[in-house]
Amino acid sequence: MGLVGACDIVVAGPASTFAVTESRLGLAASIISLTVLPRLDQRSASRYLLTGEKFGQHEAESIGLVTAASQDTGSRSPSCSGPCANVHRKGLPNRSGSRRVRSWPDSTGTARR
């Protein structure tokens, strides 16, 4: 959940579930809370950080953890226009599951893949 809190745009699919599992073990969710707390409303943060309760995509969208909850896993969500509509151009997985990899320079300055 900490990685989700650190992302600018998050789209959750129908099988997505979220939980703060540290609290189930009796541990404080200290590091994860740095990225998650600014995204959640105060009541929801208290509830999920203290109980470790599992919740789904629609609850995550309503409390502010994800940007959009999508029912369709095969195509772009209509509720995710604007910045989300261009993720296929940024080297992220496309519909076929393949990933476009960009080359980047290594420590010697040589471009590699």
Side-chain angles (χ1 to χ4, degrees), residues 23-88:
S23 57
R24 293 181 192 168
L25 301 171
L27 303 171
S30 58
I31 300 301
I32 194 174
S33 65
L34 296 174
T35 58
V36 172
L37 283 177
R39 303 282 184 188
L40 304 178
D41 60 59
Q42 191 173 10
R43 290 275 184 197
S44 298
S46 296
R47 176 181 175 181
Y48 294 115
L49 286 169
L50 293 174
T51 64
E53 181 182 346
K54 190 187 297 186
F55 56 95
Q57 63 167 345
H58 293 296
E59 178 67 13
E61 183 180 30
S62 69
I63 64 175
L65 183 63
V66 302
T67 309
S70 174
Q71 290 299 323
D72 188 7
T73 59
S75 65
R76 277 185 246 150
S77 171
S79 65
C80 196
S81 58
C84 293
N86 296 322
V87 296
H88 65 281

Side-chain angles (χ1 to χ4, degrees), residues 91 99-113:
R99 182 179 290 260
R100 184 174 71 189
V101 179
R102 296 182 179 168
S103 60
W104 64 92
D106 61 11
S107 59
T108 63
T110 307
R112 61 180 196 155
R113 279 196 166 285

Side-chain angles (χ1 to χ4, degrees), residues 87-94 98-100:
V87 296
H88 65 281
R89 293 189 214 153
K90 301 191 188 266
L92 299 174
N94 61 22
S98 64
R99 182 179 290 260
R100 184 174 71 189

Side-chain angles (χ1 to χ4, degrees), residues 9-26:
I9 299 170
V10 179
V11 179
S16 300
T17 58
F18 304 92
V20 182
T21 56
E22 291 92 336
S23 57
R24 293 181 192 168
L25 301 171

